[in-house]
Amino acid sequence: MDLKLHVDFCFSCPGGRVVAAGWSQDPRPALMIHAGSASLPPAHLVRFARRDLRSLEPFGYLAVFDLSDHPDALDDPSEDVFLAVGAEHSRIGGARLSSDARSMVEIGVDEAFFALLRLMAEGAVPMPDRALSGPVITRIRAARALPAEAETHALSVDLGQVAGAGQGVASGWFLPTAATQGALHALAFDDRQLARVTMAQGAVARTDLAAYADRYVYGGRDGWLAAFRFAGPASGAARLLVMLPEQLAESGVIHPLTQVTVPQIARLLVEARLWQEDPEGADALHRATLAAPGAPAIALPDSPPLPDDAPLLLILDHDLAAPDLRDVLRRVAQATGRGIDLHLLRPTLTPDLRDAIAGAARECPQPVRIVACTPQPPIAAQGPALLVYARSSVLFHLAGRLPVRGEVPGHDLQVLALDVLASLPGGAGRIAARFGTDRPAFLCWGDAAGLLPALAPLLGDALVPESAFRQLAAQMDAAGRLAILPADPTGFHAGDQGPFAAPLFDSLTGHDFDALSARLVQEDAR
């Protein structure tokens, strides 16, 4: 019997991984890699039949060697590495380690290519870089896809969604035959990028599938959930590739992803959390949709001191009834003696809100004008202004604590927090610790020219703009650039109106979802 080791492709990946693909008639080849002073067996070995060998025997192999603990093993590109089975060695030139990845993607057999994709999906091999992603996507699209239902399986993608920023979710169900072994794997792709998909298989009860029990293996919890995040905004037609176990000759089941808003993605994640019995599995799905940890550094541009008569740029989440806006604006104007440029965090300016603003403008000696009505704060100041962010319910309670005309803030950002901790020793410090992962009632103020550019990068995935202000406050507190002024919460009642008070699902709001996202990001950053 020919026991020779055939190495078709061998290439290195970031993180010290080396991937080898080829074939051998040895049913259990004792593969080893020799690189520098390292000699290691494969961390992952996949065996499979190859149609080009005209045999049903699993002669094909894909091996992954983990050299991450030997950082110098691949440092010198002029040094060869060796793949070995017993005394037989195959020399791999250094040039192949950098070029064989593209060659395998373009001309390697389907079975090896889709075995590689599965290892990428489960994290054993890094995802391809931007240069290689295009050829991988082209190969996926050109390959033969699997039908959703066949003798060996039935798979459904009931829902597949992606938001413009790149986060996506999907759900469905899978029923294999008794002979099928292994787990589902999935990747998401669009016109230019790939994303690893986190899957929770068997996570959802699907008693409605009992009628399939005479044809497939029915377990009762055959529903699956999936989540992912593209590195950049979704581009072109996005697709979900679900790769079935033991089906390496075809790409898998491909399903189009519908583009939706970020709140719709959040809603499905909240529902998925309620469907699952495993909290850690729910956290894993949520994490898969979040941007990589690593908050942007705070960079406040130099700006001249605010003039004494600088207007107040009020970024307002009006969480009370529309007519109450008139009283809120009037109270702020009277308490501060400043003119008000109002940025209302609402999608539209309704007649009731317009009338309330007009009423306040008539009654206040200082100018009161609406400068914008959008759900997102501005990204830059149009002129010198004292930025104030608040919910109306908080502002109605604490307007008298804002800086008056002629008073210039002494810190980059000042926060007035309504919290029961305020009356306790060290209360301000405890409130600061909660800003990243909770939602204490607060209002904040500072120089608009410096704060708005620092705020803009934090708005990204936030469902509620207040979450970005909380994150900015937490970062500036860590940098020693924040003053927290505790305030007695007696008599405070949070508002329950406006777009950000609406629940995503049950009683969970966008505030709660953002707080959970912040907690998961903080855990990953530790």
Side-chain angles (χ1 to χ4, degrees):
M1 179 180 289
D2 181 9
L3 297 181
K4 184 178 180 181
L5 178 68
H6 299 265
V7 183
D8 297 334
F9 306 98
C10 187
F11 55 90
S12 61
C13 304
R17 304 298 202 279
V18 173
V19 178
W23 63 278
S24 172
Q25 290 185 355
D26 186 343
R28 293 185 177 181
L31 279 169
M32 295 287 290
I33 190 171
H34 303 290
S37 61
S39 295
L40 299 170
H44 303 272
L45 179 63
V46 183
R47 297 304 304 268
F48 45 84
R50 284 177 40 166
R51 287 173 295 178
D52 62 321
L53 298 179
R54 301 183 183 278
S55 171
L56 296 179
E57 296 296 322
F59 291 155
Y61 71 83
L62 186 77
V64 180
F65 300 91
D66 185 356
L67 296 168
S68 57
D69 290 336
H70 304 271
D72 59 338
L74 302 172
D75 282 351
D76 189 346
S78 66
E79 289 290 327
D80 297 336
V81 302
F82 296 87
L83 292 183
V85 174
E88 180 184 348
H89 290 68
S90 293
R91 183 191 299 269
I92 308 297
R96 287 187 63 182
L97 292 176
S98 60
S99 63
D100 268 16
R102 188 179 185 100
S103 298
M104 178 175 165
V105 167
E106 293 179 341
I107 63 175
V109 296
D110 285 338
E111 294 86 350
F113 174 72
F114 288 114
L116 177 65
L117 290 193
R118 282 164 168 77
L119 291 175
M120 289 179 178
E122 68 183 37
V125 176
M127 294 294 290
D129 59 18
R130 182 178 292 273
L132 191 58
S133 292
V136 170
I137 293 168
T138 299
R139 177 79 182 262
I140 292 172
R141 287 175 167 166
R144 185 174 62 183
L146 281 171
E149 187 170 342
E151 291 184 1
T152 57
H153 66 271
L155 181 135
S156 174
V157 182
D158 297 336
L159 181 69
Q161 299 177 338
V162 63
Q167 56 273 70
V169 291
S171 64
W173 52 268
F174 173 59
L175 298 174
T177 62
T180 303
Q181 301 291 328
L184 296 174
H185 295 89
L187 293 172
F189 64 94
D190 61 13
D191 289 351
R192 64 183 184 184
Q193 58 189 333
L194 284 158
R196 181 177 292 126
V197 175
T198 296
M199 293 201 75
Q201 190 174 341
V204 182
R206 292 298 301 263
T207 56
D208 58 310
L209 302 176
Y212 283 93
D214 60 337
R215 297 172 56 195
Y216 304 105
V217 176
Y218 167 69
R221 295 192 64 83
D222 303 294
W224 55 262
L225 301 166
F228 63 91
R229 175 73 182 240
F230 285 126
S235 173
R239 299 283 187 268
L240 179 72
L241 167 64
V242 183
M243 295 174 282
L244 276 59
E246 302 179 0
Q247 301 281 353
L248 294 179
E250 291 84 15
S251 63
V253 177
I254 297 178
H255 188 82
L257 297 172
T258 304
Q259 188 149 341
V260 298
T261 63
V262 174
Q264 288 173 277
I265 298 291
R267 177 183 173 85
L268 187 64
L269 287 173
V270 171
E271 291 183 24
R273 186 169 292 277
L274 299 177
W275 291 335
Q276 292 188 85
E277 297 176 354
D278 177 17
E280 291 185 2
D283 284 351
L285 288 173
H286 194 141
R287 278 190 176 93
T289 66
L290 300 176
I298 301 172
L300 297 183
D302 293 332
S303 55
L306 284 173
D308 291 347
D309 60 348
L312 190 150
L313 174 58
L314 177 59
I315 301 176
L316 183 65
D317 174 8
H318 186 60
D319 59 351
L320 303 173
D324 291 334
L325 178 59
R326 179 175 182 172
D327 292 332
V328 171
L329 295 175
R330 182 173 55 195
R331 183 168 298 196
V332 172
Q334 290 174 348
T336 64
R338 297 177 184 268
I340 298 176
D341 290 341
L342 174 63
H343 183 113
L344 193 61
L345 296 173
R346 288 287 183 102
T348 57
L349 188 63
T350 64
D352 286 347
L353 292 171
R354 192 185 300 276
D355 289 346
I357 296 168
R362 288 193 301 268
E363 296 169 357
C364 296
Q366 300 82 16
V368 176
R369 64 189 184 111
I370 178 81
V371 295
C373 182
T374 68
Q376 291 292 314
I379 60 174
Q382 300 303 312
L386 176 68
L387 180 149
V388 173
Y389 166 78
R391 287 181 250 156
S392 282
S393 57
V394 177
L395 196 57
F396 201 94
H397 194 64
L398 294 175
R401 301 280 296 274
L402 289 172
V404 299
R405 180 186 175 93
E407 180 181 331
V408 179
H411 287 77
D412 293 320
L413 182 68
Q414 290 186 338
V415 170
L416 187 59
L418 277 165
D419 201 286
V420 293
L421 296 175
S423 60
L424 301 177
R430 298 188 194 186
I431 295 170
R434 292 179 54 200
F435 264 88
T437 58
D438 206 348
R439 53 169 302 192
F442 73 101
L443 59 82
C444 60
W445 64 86
D447 186 347
L451 292 178
L452 289 178
L455 180 74
L458 306 177
L459 291 168
D461 294 344
L463 298 184
V464 180
E466 180 173 302
S467 303
F469 281 96
R470 286 203 311 270
Q471 188 176 348
L472 180 63
Q475 289 189 24
M476 297 189 77
D477 177 67
R481 304 177 68 168
L482 171 70
I484 294 183
L485 312 173
D488 186 352
T490 303
F492 171 69
H493 298 283
D496 60 0
Q497 300 189 48
F500 304 123
L504 292 170
F505 191 83
D506 278 355
S507 60
L508 292 172
T509 68
H511 290 281
D512 303 310
F513 185 85
D514 284 349
L516 177 57
S517 296
R519 175 178 68 79
L520 295 175
V521 168
Q522 283 196 4
E523 290 176 358
D524 289 344
R526 288 174 186 157

